[in-house]
């Protein structure tokens, strides 16, 4: 027993780990395990204490990366701020009361004309709830009117807390115009609210608009820093005190699917804001960043929409660990119009994180993680440089006017699209594991605020940043496929010619089925075929003119190559593809004999399917005209 107790393991170095890893990689370098992000941050396969640059020892200290409160959620729990949609004021009242009974801890709702059309005062709509629960409302273009309603009751005005705020710059970017005169009225509202609603935050820095446009985390952080600085400078010049301005500010971020990157994004945001406000001379107690987060709609899908529950859960988890003060979880069917069930699931996602995952009882669960700390520091450094780049180009207002920022974001969106087109990035139920039997629900109409219906003649037109979703291109393919099905009475199809035995063609048959399903195309396979006559019968029996050979490389060489020579001549109106990628010296031979394209794991799935469906549409239109 004594000998057992005295046993110890020898210390291993990073070099030892790398040697063992390369051994398991069978000759490949450890460098092959590294990956690059959209932020141009290289992710290492292993992080150690040596990589960890000195981080604060406790939350609430130093640069606030570990949170703004020493005991985190233990003493300052994040607010469940599920944004309520409604069709009438009565429905809003009912949902507010029902929500707070079931876990809602902040009063959050969409601001629409319905709220102002009723004769019932807002104080009666909200009742006594504001005395217990803070507000969490993005007022958008109606912030001024909403603040006026809240300030009507002198008694209630002093107890109203939380935020009712707006970010004019993000609204302008979203709508495609800039009204510089608007800032005068906006600043007047902020000053008035500072007097009449002393406990309410009214200045929003909303990066969700840019996130929806496709921006990466570095861009979001640089934009947040520059927008915050723009408002800070404007209001200081307008005569407000620094501490009053900071007490009125709140930052909003959308949380995407890259778990650790999104967590680090929130931590890095606090570092940047601490650094900026320190330059302005703010006291430590005024430099902490208040954050409202929402799970991203950029990552959500119309097809296989219940997977959105998992996506939102992952994003909410990252937001909470990253250290937010308010959180909205997007209902899984929000794109097509949320239901009572989906809203309940979204709210309960936060209840689970609080009560079952116990995240509110652990102070900074990510603190000390070598990976998270290193990623946070790298992200903060890159974002600071991007912030300086925006400022060097004249600041947020000027980079929106010039279109520079829009082009920067567009280039990242192009990268993201390229990755989903080639299926380097998977979207479950959309570009992989698609269910052809699923019927899509129409996307709900995006209703704009009435404020934007009246644009001042002095407004400067800019390039708008469109709200995108990553899955939209494939959803458009599915819509096109459904259109063809409605016109012809059958799904658009591609015939799969299966050469040889099952074990020879099945891997590529399965690959092709999944590949085609991403665009709503049905795969019709021939079953095992070995003779030219059988293949001819199969082709003749199909209505489609698109066919793909599926088999092993060996059988392609011994049977497929000779077969395609004959098929090209006997079926000149048919189009043939080959599943897989032959050796370079054989590719030109295949193409010369009639193969239009090779379909393999690196193929541009979207582009290829789009071409097929477009040709089918043209053929359908020509047939209709005839």
């Amino acid at each position: 027993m004594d000998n057992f107790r005295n046993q110890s393991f020898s210390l291993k170095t990073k070099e030892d780990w790398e040697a063992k890893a390369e051994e398991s990689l069978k000759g490949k370098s450890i460098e092959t395990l590294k990956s690059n992000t959209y932020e141009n941050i290289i992710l290492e396969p292993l992080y150690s204490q040596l990589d960890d640059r000195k981080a604060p020892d406790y939350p609430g200290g130093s640069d606030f990366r570990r949170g703004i409160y020493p005991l985190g959620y233990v003493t300052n729990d994040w607010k469940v701020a599920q944004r309520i949609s409604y069709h009438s004021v009565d429905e809003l009242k009912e949902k507010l009361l029902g929500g707070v009974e079931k876990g809602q801890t902040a009063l959050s709702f969409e601001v629409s004309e319905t709220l102002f059309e009723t004769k019932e005062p807002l104080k009666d709509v909200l009742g006594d709830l504001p005395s217990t629960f803070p507000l969490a409302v993005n007022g958008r273009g109606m912030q001024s009117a909403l603040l006026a309603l809240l300030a009507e009751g002198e008694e209630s005005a002093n107890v109203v807390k939380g935020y009712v705020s707006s970010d004019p710059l993000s609204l302008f970017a979203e709508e495609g115009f800039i009204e510089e005169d608007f800032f005068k009225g906006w600043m007047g509202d902020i000053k008035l609210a500072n007097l009449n609603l002393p406990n309410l935050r009214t200045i929003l820095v909303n990066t969700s608009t840019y996130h929806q446009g496709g921006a990466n985390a570095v861009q979001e952080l640089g934009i947040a820093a520059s927008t915050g600085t723009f408002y800070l400078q404007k209001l200081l010049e307008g005569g407000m005190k620094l501490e009053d301005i900071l007490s009125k500010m709140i930052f909003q971020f959308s949380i995407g699917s890259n778990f650790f990157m999104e967590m680090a994004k929130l931590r890095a945001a606090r570092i940047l804001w601490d650094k900026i406000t320190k330059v302005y001379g703010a006291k430590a107690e005024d430099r902490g960043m208040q954050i409202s987060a929402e799970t991203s709609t950029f990552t959500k899908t119309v097809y296989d929409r219940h997977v959105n529950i998992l996506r939102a859960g992952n994003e909410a988890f990252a937001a909470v660990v990253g250290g937010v003060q308010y959180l909205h979880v997007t209902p899984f069917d929000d794109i097509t119009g949320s239901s009572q069930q989906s809203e309940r699931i979204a709210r309960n996602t936060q209840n689970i994180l609080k009560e079952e995952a116990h995240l509110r009882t652990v102070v900074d669960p990510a603190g000390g993680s070598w990976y998270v700390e290193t990623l946070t520091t790298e992200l903060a450094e890159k974002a600071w440089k991007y912030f300086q780049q925006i400022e060097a180009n004249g600041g947020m207002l000027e980079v929106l006017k010039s279109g520079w920022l829009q082009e920067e974001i567009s280039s990242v969106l192009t990268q993201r699209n390229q990755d989903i087109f080639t299926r380097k990035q998977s979207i479950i139920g959309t570009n992989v594991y698609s269910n052809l039997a699923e019927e899509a629900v129409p996307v709900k109409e995006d209703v704009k605020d009435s404020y934007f219906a009246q644009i001042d003649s002095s407004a400067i037109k800019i390039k708008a940043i469109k709200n995108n979703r990553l899955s939209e291109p494939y959803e458009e393919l599915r819509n096109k496929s459904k259109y063809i099905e409605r016109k012809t009475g059958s799904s658009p199809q591609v015939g799969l010619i299966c050469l040889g035995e099952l074990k020879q063609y099945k891997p590529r048959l399965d690959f092709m089925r999944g590949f085609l399903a991403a665009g709503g195309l049905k795969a019709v396979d021939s079953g095992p075929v070995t003779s030219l006559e059988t293949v001819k019968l199969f082709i003749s029996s199909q209505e489609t003119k698109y066919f793909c050979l599926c088999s092993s490389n060996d059988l392609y060489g011994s049977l497929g190559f000779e077969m395609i020579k004959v098929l090209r001549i006997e079926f000149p109106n048919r189009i043939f593809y080959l599943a897989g990628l032959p050796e370079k010296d054989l590719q030109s031979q295949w193409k010369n004999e009639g193969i239009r394209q090779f379909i393999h794991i690196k193929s541009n799935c979207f582009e290829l399917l789009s071409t097929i469906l477009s040709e089918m549409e043209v053929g359908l239109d020509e047939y209709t005209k005839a």
Side-chain angles (χ1 to χ4, degrees):
M1 181 65 72
D2 289 337
N3 290 335
F4 177 77
R5 287 175 179 171
N6 292 328
Q7 290 293 323
S8 61
F9 294 98
S10 58
L11 294 175
K12 298 295 181 182
T13 64
K14 188 174 181 178
E15 288 71 25
D16 292 331
W17 180 88
E18 288 177 352
K20 196 67 179 175
E22 289 189 349
E23 181 183 323
S24 64
L25 289 171
K26 298 179 180 179
K28 290 183 180 179
S29 167
I30 196 75
E31 295 295 314
T32 59
L33 297 180
K34 293 182 179 181
S35 60
N36 202 1
T37 71
Y38 293 112
E39 294 77 15
N40 286 321
I41 292 175
I42 296 174
L43 300 181
E44 302 285 343
L46 178 70
Y47 288 83
S48 68
Q49 196 168 3
L50 297 175
D51 303 317
D52 181 16
R53 306 171 201 189
K54 184 62 177 173
D57 294 327
Y58 58 91
S62 187
D63 56 17
F64 299 108
R65 76 174 65 198
R66 298 191 61 186
I68 59 177
Y69 303 115
L71 292 177
Y73 298 132
V74 175
T75 54
N76 297 84
D77 198 4
W78 84 86
K79 305 301 180 188
V80 178
Q82 288 301 123
R83 191 164 52 248
I84 294 172
S85 58
Y86 54 94
H87 298 96
S88 68
V89 171
D90 288 338
E91 185 184 4
L92 173 60
K93 288 171 66 175
E94 183 183 343
K95 282 190 169 184
L96 284 171
L97 289 170
V100 298
E101 289 174 356
K102 298 170 183 175
Q104 185 105 352
T105 55
L107 308 178
S108 184
F109 49 87
E110 295 173 354
V111 180
S112 67
E113 289 182 353
T114 305
L115 199 61
F116 303 95
E117 290 171 349
T118 179
K119 295 179 181 179
E120 190 173 8
L122 183 61
K123 63 179 180 179
D124 292 341
V125 175
L126 299 177
D128 295 329
L129 293 177
S131 63
T132 306
F133 304 98
L135 289 162
V137 179
N138 181 352
R140 292 180 61 83
M142 298 181 182
Q143 181 196 20
S144 179
L146 187 55
L147 289 175
L149 290 179
L150 288 170
E152 283 179 351
E154 292 183 12
E155 295 180 4
S156 61
N158 288 322
V159 299
V160 172
K161 52 190 179 294
Y163 71 90
V164 174
S165 52
S166 181
D167 180 350
L169 283 175
S170 75
L171 292 176
F172 295 154
E174 185 180 329
E175 294 303 318
F177 69 88
I178 286 177
E179 273 189 279
E180 294 194 53
D181 289 343
F182 176 77
F183 289 109
K184 293 178 182 178
W186 177 78
M187 286 193 293
D189 291 333
I190 303 303
K191 291 178 183 179
L192 192 61
N194 190 37
L195 297 173
N196 297 333
L197 299 159
N199 300 313
L200 195 67
R201 293 179 182 268
T202 51
I203 307 164
L204 181 67
V205 176
N206 180 20
T207 63
S208 294
T209 298
Y210 313 102
H211 174 94
Q212 297 303 126
N216 62 34
V218 167
Q219 290 172 330
E220 288 180 61
L221 289 170
I223 289 166
S226 188
T227 303
T229 302
F230 177 83
Y231 294 146
L232 198 56
Q233 193 63 41
K234 276 273 185 188
L235 291 164
L236 283 172
E237 292 170 0
M240 280 187 74
K241 294 180 180 178
L242 178 62
E243 57 269 26
D244 287 341
I245 300 169
L246 294 177
S247 71
K248 298 297 174 186
M249 296 187 77
I250 187 159
F251 289 73
Q252 180 170 312
F253 293 96
S254 281
I255 308 300
S257 58
N258 189 330
F259 183 77
F260 289 104
M261 185 64 73
E262 296 302 310
M263 188 192 304
K265 179 173 79 178
L266 298 178
R267 294 163 69 90
R270 290 192 291 270
I271 296 174
L272 296 183
W273 193 236
D274 174 69
K275 189 171 183 177
I276 289 168
T277 51
K278 191 181 290 184
V279 171
Y280 273 92
K283 297 176 183 177
E285 58 266 28
D286 297 324
R287 298 201 301 266
M289 175 189 276
Q290 288 274 325
I291 298 176
S292 175
E294 60 181 12
T295 58
S296 173
T297 57
F298 182 75
T299 60
K300 304 305 180 290
T301 64
V302 169
Y303 287 97
D304 209 352
R305 55 188 179 165
H306 287 90
V307 179
N308 290 335
I309 299 173
L310 304 178
R311 296 183 180 109
N314 175 70
E315 293 160 4
F317 197 165
V320 171
V321 176
V324 298
Q325 281 64 59
Y326 300 87
L327 178 60
H328 165 74
V329 175
T330 311
F332 72 83
D333 55 359
D334 185 64
I335 302 164
T336 54
S338 61
S339 60
Q340 187 177 356
Q341 181 198 39
S342 65
E343 290 171 1
R344 177 175 175 269
I345 291 171
R347 183 175 57 244
N348 283 346
T349 298
Q350 298 202 53
N351 292 333
I352 289 169
L353 292 175
K354 281 176 184 277
E355 307 299 338
E356 297 187 29
H358 302 292
L359 289 184
R360 69 173 175 181
T361 62
V362 181
V363 180
D364 189 24
S369 162
W370 299 326
Y371 175 39
V372 174
E373 297 293 2
T374 304
L375 190 57
T376 297
T377 301
E378 285 190 66
L379 202 50
E381 289 173 350
K382 284 182 175 290
W384 184 258
K385 290 178 182 177
Y386 198 77
F387 162 60
Q388 290 178 316
Q389 198 174 355
I390 293 173
E391 293 302 300
N393 281 291
M396 273 300 296
L397 196 59
E398 294 304 318
V399 294
L400 285 172
K401 282 182 184 178
S402 67
W404 177 85
L405 185 62
Q406 292 90 323
E407 289 303 317
E408 286 276 302
I409 293 171
S410 179
S411 67
V412 178
L413 179 63
T414 299
Q415 294 174 38
R416 294 185 189 276
N417 281 334
Q418 184 63 23
D419 286 344
I420 66 146
F421 290 171
T422 57
R423 304 201 301 175
K424 181 180 178 182
Q425 291 290 332
S426 298
I427 306 176
I428 304 299
T430 300
N431 69 349
V432 294
Y433 306 120
S434 303
N435 179 8
L436 287 178
E438 184 180 4
E439 292 290 337
V441 180
V443 175
K444 69 180 179 183
E445 185 182 354
D446 186 15
V447 181
K448 300 295 182 184
D449 299 337
S450 61
Y451 164 76
F452 296 107
Q454 299 174 351
I455 303 173
D456 192 276
S457 58
S458 63
I460 302 169
K461 288 187 177 181
I462 61 173
K463 184 178 180 181
I465 297 176
K466 181 189 171 188
N467 282 350
N468 298 290
R469 286 186 299 105
L470 205 52
S471 62
E472 282 181 290
Y474 280 97
E475 289 165 6
E476 289 171 6
L477 289 185
R478 295 286 291 270
N479 290 339
K480 189 177 287 190
S481 178
K482 287 295 180 184
Y483 169 78
I484 294 170
E485 183 178 348
R486 287 194 299 272
K487 289 290 185 180
T488 62
S490 61
S491 301
Q493 300 175 354
V494 172
L496 302 182
I497 301 170
C498 305
L499 301 180
E501 299 176 359
L502 181 66
K503 64 180 180 180
Q504 293 172 302
Y505 65 76
K506 191 175 188 304
R508 282 173 172 157
L509 171 66
D510 291 342
F511 169 78
M512 284 303 304
R513 280 176 173 160
F515 189 95
L516 295 169
L521 288 156
K522 183 180 179 181
V524 181
D525 69 87
S526 63
V529 293
T530 54
S531 70
L532 182 60
E533 291 305 314
T534 309
V535 174
K536 287 181 184 180
L537 285 174
F538 172 68
I539 294 174
S540 300
S541 66
Q542 301 303 313
E543 294 181 4
T544 183
K545 70 174 185 178
Y546 297 91
F547 293 88
C548 180
L549 271 64
C550 298
S551 193
S552 64
N553 289 343
D554 290 342
L555 210 56
Y556 282 157
S558 62
L559 181 62
F561 192 74
E562 293 303 319
M563 192 176 282
I564 197 68
K565 290 181 181 180
V566 179
L567 295 177
R568 182 188 65 167
I569 296 170
E570 296 208 14
F571 299 96
N573 296 324
R574 305 298 199 276
I575 295 170
F576 296 96
Y577 296 90
L578 184 82
L581 185 64
E583 296 293 332
K584 283 188 177 181
D585 56 339
L586 296 176
Q587 290 177 19
S588 58
Q589 295 179 38
W590 278 105
K591 288 190 174 182
N592 289 338
E593 295 302 335
I595 292 296
R596 175 193 269 192
Q597 204 166 338
F598 307 110
I599 303 177
H600 51 91
I601 197 167
K602 292 184 179 180
S603 292
N604 189 317
C605 179
F606 174 80
E607 187 179 85
L608 195 151
L609 298 183
S610 181
T611 299
I612 292 176
L613 286 169
S614 295
E615 290 176 355
M616 285 181 174
E617 266 194 310
V618 170
L620 180 63
D621 292 340
E622 289 176 353
Y623 175 80
T624 304
K625 289 175 183 177

